[in-house]
Amino acid sequence: MGRYILKRIASLIASLVVASLAIFALIEVTPGDPASFMLGLNAAPETVAALRDQLGLNEPLPLRYLHWVGGMLSGDFGLSYTYKVPVAELVGDRLKISLPLALIALALSTALALPAGLIAAARRGKATDAAVMGATQLGIAVPNFWFAMLLVLLLAVRWRLFPAGGFPGWSDPLAALRALTLPAVALALPQAAILARVLRSALIETLGQDYIRTARAKGLSRQAALTRHALRNALIPVLTILGMQFSFLLAGAIIIENVFYLPGLGRLIFQAITQRDLIVVESVVMLLVFAVIAVTFLTDLAYAAVDPRLRRPA
């Protein structure tokens, strides 16, 4: 197991190095000058040049890359060109919204998908299976922002059970959770549909294995075979989807955050791109890439815990 973990850590580090080079290169070739954008079209060339010097934009690219990476490793992500505050502070403030939102949405999608997938697999070919599959097909087909608007109209505008948007802060945890409930549900429904279908397919495939038939032949009920044996062995594709879903929920909630006026990480990236705040874009995207790679690493460790065969050296 130790050798397996070391190999995964080496892969994680290599992926981060390649990702940092790709992100830096892509940001640098993006058209537009941050200094010119900040000062406006009528700014004097001398003023633009002075600001570029102040921002460090005139340094050689390899030196700027090393400064950027070295700063991130020491916890210094630089100073935002637009907000004039440390990027780490900006990210920390936005993560207080985006991270709980992603975790709540992931918990909701898992809570909905696991029983739905189990029921559909247990009653394959019956009306219950058809109903679950129809509901999941609808959940996949309908965009999450449509769910969001529907939830706002019904639960916020008509029945006034939840706020329609905004975030009151964590000084009142109950109000904060109420503000995140509708966005989390809108994010969770499509993800739950995907997860339920993956789980059903994995369970049906596992139920056809020889060891399951042997267990059934020895008198084990279908329900017991499903929950005791098939579920554990069907978890690997489910863990893959869960890892990808968390990364998506953390970084890909830009539309939902705009629907509910949530000042999260997605809106920060969108605003930084429109304002040519390159240091914010670089740092936030790198942090999100790190989150994706770290989740993949943890997913690989979960694979090894679920299936000991993966821990064996090749």
Side-chain angles (χ1 to χ4, degrees):
M1 185 64 176
R3 182 180 296 180
Y4 178 82
I5 292 175
L6 288 175
K7 287 174 62 178
R8 302 314 304 165
I9 291 175
S11 175
L12 182 149
I13 293 172
S15 299
L16 287 175
V17 171
V18 172
S20 68
L21 288 168
I23 291 168
F24 185 81
L26 287 172
I27 294 297
E28 290 303 321
V29 301
T30 302
D33 180 20
S36 300
F37 183 89
M38 292 167 65
L39 294 173
L41 297 175
N42 299 321
E46 298 81 7
T47 309
V48 174
L51 183 58
R52 284 184 60 85
D53 250 350
Q54 181 184 342
L55 298 176
L57 297 176
N58 290 327
E59 293 180 352
L61 288 180
L63 189 59
R64 287 172 57 192
Y65 171 77
L66 291 176
H67 285 165
W68 174 56
V69 173
M72 286 195 298
L73 291 175
S74 64
D76 179 13
F77 296 96
L79 194 71
S80 167
Y81 302 158
T82 304
Y83 298 99
K84 305 299 183 185
V85 297
V87 176
E89 184 180 323
L90 279 175
V91 173
D93 289 340
R94 304 304 178 97
L95 270 179
K96 292 176 184 177
I97 299 170
S98 292
L99 185 58
L101 176 61
L103 290 173
I104 294 170
L106 188 67
L108 285 174
S109 68
T110 305
L112 291 171
L114 288 182
L118 281 168
I119 291 171
R123 300 182 175 275
R124 180 187 180 188
K126 298 182 180 179
T128 306
D129 180 28
V132 171
M133 287 300 97
T136 57
Q137 186 62 47
L138 183 65
I140 293 171
V142 177
N144 57 14
F145 65 84
W146 189 88
F147 279 128
M149 292 187 288
L150 185 63
L151 291 170
V152 168
L153 288 173
L154 289 178
L155 299 180
V157 176
R158 183 171 181 178
W159 295 332
R160 300 183 182 277
L161 298 175
F162 297 95
F167 187 74
W170 288 105
S171 56
D172 185 351
L174 184 59
L177 289 173
R178 289 183 71 246
L180 293 180
T181 299
L182 294 187
V185 172
L187 286 169
L189 289 176
Q191 304 306 315
I194 296 169
L195 190 60
R197 294 180 75 90
V198 169
L199 178 59
R200 174 187 177 272
S201 299
L203 284 171
I204 289 173
E205 182 180 351
T206 306
L207 286 172
Q209 299 296 319
D210 291 338
Y211 69 92
I212 296 290
R213 287 197 290 266
T214 301
R216 292 294 310 279
K218 290 181 177 180
L220 195 66
S221 68
R222 181 179 177 84
Q223 187 66 29
L226 183 70
T227 54
R228 292 184 196 175
H229 300 288
L231 180 59
R232 178 184 176 90
N233 290 285
L235 282 180
I236 287 183
V238 173
L239 290 172
T240 302
I241 298 298
L242 281 174
M244 292 191 299
Q245 285 185 345
F246 178 75
S247 304
F248 166 77
L249 292 170
L250 185 62
I254 297 176
I255 297 177
I256 295 299
E257 287 179 1
N258 277 283
V259 170
F260 289 97
Y261 301 101
L262 294 176
L265 211 53
R267 288 191 74 188
L268 176 63
I269 297 174
F270 178 76
Q271 291 165 350
I273 291 172
T274 58
Q275 295 164 351
R276 296 290 301 158
D277 202 339
L278 298 185
I279 190 66
V280 172
V281 177
E282 286 178 343
S283 299
V284 174
V285 172
M286 190 64 214
L287 282 173
L288 292 175
V289 168
F290 173 77
V292 171
I293 294 174
V295 168
T296 304
F297 171 73
L298 294 175
T299 304
D300 288 341
L301 295 186
Y303 286 169
V306 171
D307 189 350
R309 293 173 298 178
L310 296 176
R311 303 198 292 264
R312 298 171 187 166

